[in-house]
């Protein structure tokens, strides 16, 4: 199901109360239940059953789930990030068991979504203790991404191809829909310019995705936000095409981006230690206060 987004609304009072209670969930078991619940595929009965099996020894877990379900969809990824930030302080043995548990829940229905793969990589990164993004200043960064070494440009193209499965939105009829392929083509055109034979939109496998991310993370930390800016500029170009939908409330639609696409881009910002651009940040509801606990 596509969830269009035109800008996040304020957090409702009931959700504020629920988040206040969730922030009091201090124990490792409670954090485990929260993290596993926040990666559930909506409507997946098998994943929900796996979550119950993973948390059956925890008292009050039904109340925790009720509070999580009261959060708006656009607040769930910020809630996951906050929970991961607190879980990073748990003992090593507890953290080492969390990633496999997340994977078991994600795989319970036999289908792993693109956002699942990205989220699992982010969870592993944060649980390993890499939870302090570097804030970049772009004043001294070279804005010409076409001057990047070939290996880096290929890595960005591969990462973009993976994201194109859900950015600007997923296509139920194709692995990469027409909009995603068009977005990828605009990104690649900027990276390759007039050079012949730019890479096609070929989605990497899990290992290829991990290699692409590792390569892009080798880019100077001041330049990583330029990759995110490239993605958003390509989306904006799509939104300027004739017939593109116009968002309500005066906010510019980013190329038909839906919540799933926005989540994928936000998770990639975390994986690249890149600040979240304002036009992407405003599509989510940021939760008040520090991380849970």
């Amino acid at each position: 199901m596509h969830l269009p987004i035109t800008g996040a609304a304020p957090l409702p009072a009931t959700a504020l109360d629920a988040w206040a209670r969730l922030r009091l969930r201090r124990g490792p078991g409670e954090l485990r239940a929260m993290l596993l619940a926040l990666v559930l595929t909506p409507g997946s009965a098998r994943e929900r059953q796996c979550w119950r099996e993973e948390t059956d020894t925890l008292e009050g877990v039904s109340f925790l789930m009720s509070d999580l379900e009261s959060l708006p969809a656009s607040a769930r990824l910020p809630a996951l990030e906050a929970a991961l930030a607190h879980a990073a302080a748990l003992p090593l043995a507890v953290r080492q068991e969390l990633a496999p548990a997340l994977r078991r829940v994600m795989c319970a229905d036999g289908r792993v979504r693109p956002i699942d793969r990205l989220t699992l990589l982010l969870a592993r990164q944060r649980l390993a203790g890499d939870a302090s993004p570097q804030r970049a200043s772009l004043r001294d960064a070279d804005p010409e991404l076409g001057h990047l070494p070939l290996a880096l440009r290929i890595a960005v193209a591969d990462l973009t191809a993976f994201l194109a499965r859900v950015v600007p939105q997923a296509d139920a009829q194709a692995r990469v829909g027409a909009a995603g392929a068009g977005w990828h083509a605009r990104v690649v055109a900027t990276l390759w310019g007039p050079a012949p034979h730019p890479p096609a939109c070929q989605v990497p496998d899990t290992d290829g995705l991990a290699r692409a991310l590792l390569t892009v993370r080798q880019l100077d930390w001041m330049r990583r936000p330029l990759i995110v800016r490239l993605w958003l500029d390509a989306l904006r170009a799509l939104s300027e095409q004739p017939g593109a939908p116009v968002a309500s409330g005066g906010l510019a639609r980013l190329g038909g981006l839906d919540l799933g696409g926005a989540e994928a881009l936000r998770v990639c910002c975390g994986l690249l230690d890149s600040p979240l651009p304002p036009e992407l940040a405003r599509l989510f509801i940021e939760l008040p206060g520090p991380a849970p606990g």
Side-chain angles (χ1 to χ4, degrees), residues 5-6 167-169 178-180 182-184 186 229-248 250-258 279 283:
I5 47 178
T6 58
V167 176
Q169 56 185 249
W183 174 68
H184 177 272
R186 287 180 178 274
R229 175 54 52 196
L230 172 61
W231 289 334
L232 295 184
D233 287 347
L235 283 171
R236 188 171 292 104
L238 289 178
S239 71
E240 294 170 353
Q241 291 180 338
V246 178
S248 62
L251 293 176
R253 177 70 64 86
L254 289 174
L257 189 69
D258 68 5
E279 60 267 51
L283 303 178

Side-chain angles (χ1 to χ4, degrees), residues 126-189:
R126 295 295 185 255
L127 294 172
D130 186 8
S132 300
Q134 300 177 35
R135 298 303 177 187
S137 169
L138 302 184
R139 290 178 298 178
D140 300 323
D142 183 352
E144 297 297 329
L145 293 175
H147 295 164
L148 291 176
L150 179 60
L152 271 168
R153 284 185 285 142
I154 290 175
V156 174
D158 286 346
L159 181 53
T160 305
F162 185 88
L163 288 171
R165 296 183 64 186
V166 292
V167 176
Q169 56 185 249
D171 188 330
Q173 306 304 318
R175 195 177 191 200
V176 175
W183 174 68
H184 177 272
R186 287 180 178 274
V187 171
V188 167

Side-chain angles (χ1 to χ4, degrees), residues 77 114-116 118-119 122 159 162-168 183 231 257-271 276 280 284:
L77 181 52
I115 190 63
D116 293 332
L118 292 170
T119 301
L122 181 68
L159 181 53
F162 185 88
L163 288 171
R165 296 183 64 186
V166 292
V167 176
W183 174 68
W231 289 334
L257 189 69
D258 68 5
L259 182 57
E263 287 180 333
L265 289 173
R266 178 168 176 143
V267 172
C268 273
C269 285
L271 287 166
L276 198 62
L280 185 58
F284 295 90

